[in-house]
Amino acid sequence: MRMTIGTALAGVAALAVAGTALMTAFAPALAHGPTRQKVRESIEINAAPAKVWAAIGNFQDMSWLPPVTKTEGAKGNEIGATRTLTLTGGPTVEEELYKYEPDMLSYSYRITKVDVKVLPVTNYSSTLTVSPAPDGKAKLEWAGAFYRGYPNNDPPPELSDEAAVKAVSGLYKAGLEALKKKIESGS
């Protein structure tokens, strides 16, 4: 049997249509879950970088963050140190230090346990870094990466990507503003 170019092209077109139909039928199965979200907030503080680091550099002290009423921890600033933050109203957040670089005025930590009703995130990690800014000031940057609180597709609104980004961004902004006020007022 002899095949013409037209017959071959018709066969290829039929395969393409069939392949597209199969992909469409299985598209929900191919959809992926959430994507990693990132938030980066910073503030300029009218103080030397060393003074800002002195206020934030102790992993065991998160008293400058407004919703934190108590910090309890173990191992100080050693890699693997842990802390439990008690928040206003009683909920807690458990965190672990995984990078500590005092010479770089920076440390990184991850949340090991949090109720998504308290902070709608999973797999959260964060870094605080102090750097020089013009006129002898300091810049404090708080950067985090995380997944939303609901790991599957079609999350409820309170556990969506948008809710996670809004919650983390709001927390960072409130913390940075509170720290700026505390340092600049001398308290």
Side-chain angles (χ1 to χ4, degrees):
M1 176 175 178
R2 196 166 170 204
M3 186 178 288
T4 66
I5 293 178
T7 306
L9 288 176
V12 168
L15 283 173
V17 169
T20 301
L22 279 172
M23 287 177 61
T24 303
F26 292 105
L30 299 175
H32 66 82
T35 56
R36 194 144 174 89
Q37 303 298 305
K38 294 181 180 177
V39 169
R40 182 178 306 270
E41 299 291 345
S42 64
I43 198 163
E44 199 169 276
I45 300 173
N46 190 15
K51 185 172 183 179
V52 176
W53 178 250
I56 66 139
N58 179 4
F59 181 67
Q60 300 302 326
D61 179 11
M62 199 82 169
S63 63
W64 53 270
L65 188 60
V68 175
T69 59
K70 181 169 75 171
T71 306
E72 296 176 296
K75 296 189 187 176
N77 292 323
E78 295 176 31
I79 302 303
T82 58
R83 69 182 177 196
T84 299
L85 308 176
T86 302
L87 310 178
T88 304
T92 60
V93 180
E94 295 178 19
E95 299 176 332
E96 177 183 33
L97 185 67
Y98 69 88
K99 186 187 276 186
Y100 190 78
E101 301 175 305
D103 52 324
M104 303 294 291
L105 307 183
S106 179
Y107 71 82
S108 301
Y109 65 95
R110 65 179 59 91
I111 291 178
T112 56
K113 185 177 178 186
V114 66
D115 185 336
V116 294
K117 292 177 188 128
V118 173
L119 189 63
V121 299
T122 58
N123 297 319
Y124 169 100
S125 62
S126 182
T127 300
L128 285 160
T129 305
V130 181
S131 59
D135 302 321
K137 296 178 182 179
K139 176 183 174 187
L140 175 57
E141 182 177 84
W142 200 351
F146 48 87
Y147 289 92
R148 67 181 178 227
Y150 187 80
N152 300 320
N153 291 326
D154 303 319
E158 69 277 9
L159 299 177
S160 67
D161 288 338
E162 296 78 17
V165 167
K166 182 179 178 183
V168 171
S169 182
L171 179 69
Y172 287 6
K173 287 177 183 177
L176 294 172
E177 287 291 336
L179 188 63
K180 176 181 174 75
K181 183 178 178 183
K182 176 182 178 176
I183 292 172
E184 290 182 354
S185 71
S187 58

